Amino acid sequence: MRLQILEAKGGSSQLGSRMQKGLRVQQGTFYVQSVFENMQREYNKAVDAGNSSAEIKALGNTSEAFRNYSGNIEFRKVQQKFQTGSSLKPTFDVTNYTIGKITL
């Protein structure tokens, strides 16, 4: 099994960032740790509130897959850039990153 995270960007969009334990982390790095922690927090809140919807069950399954995964997490940025003005190129670029193992 492989765990891949795909980030689609259009035009001139750049990778985003967020704070993780007092540090700013960019997508394609340990940013995924922050995303996982947020997913887990929201899942726990929903379950505690009695929400057992299909969406919450799917979130729980995704969290479980992250927690049980022991390999390197792969990240791919897929970007369709502009060719001229606001028209997009008919092709796209893929940039591969290996985030490695993280502590979940």
Side-chain angles (χ1 to χ4, degrees):
M1 180 172 102
R2 292 180 1 189
L3 180 57
Q4 294 181 343
I5 298 171
L6 304 174
E7 181 66 34
K9 298 292 182 181
S12 59
S13 295
Q14 300 296 314
L15 292 175
S17 66
R18 68 190 310 161
M19 295 302 289
Q20 167 65 14
K21 298 183 179 173
L23 299 173
R24 179 143 311 269
V25 290
Q26 184 180 28
Q27 289 172 298
T29 67
F30 288 91
Y31 178 97
V32 70
Q33 176 80 36
S34 178
V35 170
F36 173 79
E37 290 173 2
N38 187 57
M39 284 174 35
Q40 192 63 53
R41 188 172 38 256
E42 293 303 314
Y43 173 77
N44 290 339
K45 284 184 352 189
V47 169
D48 290 347
N51 186 339
S52 60
S53 68
E55 291 84 358
I56 295 304
K57 288 179 183 175
L59 182 58
N61 291 339
T62 301
S63 293
E64 189 71 18
F66 267 82
R67 210 175 6 269
N68 292 331
Y69 187 71
S70 62
N72 287 331
I73 297 172
E74 298 171 18
F75 180 88
R76 297 192 182 2
K77 179 180 83 169
V78 180
Q79 186 163 28
Q80 188 177 20
K81 297 181 179 178
F82 291 120
Q83 58 184 4
T84 55
S86 61
S87 70
L88 292 170
K89 289 183 176 181
T91 59
F92 55 89
D93 299 325
V94 177
T95 305
N96 298 311
Y97 303 87
T98 299
I99 296 173
K101 296 179 183 177
I102 61 172
T103 303
L104 301 176

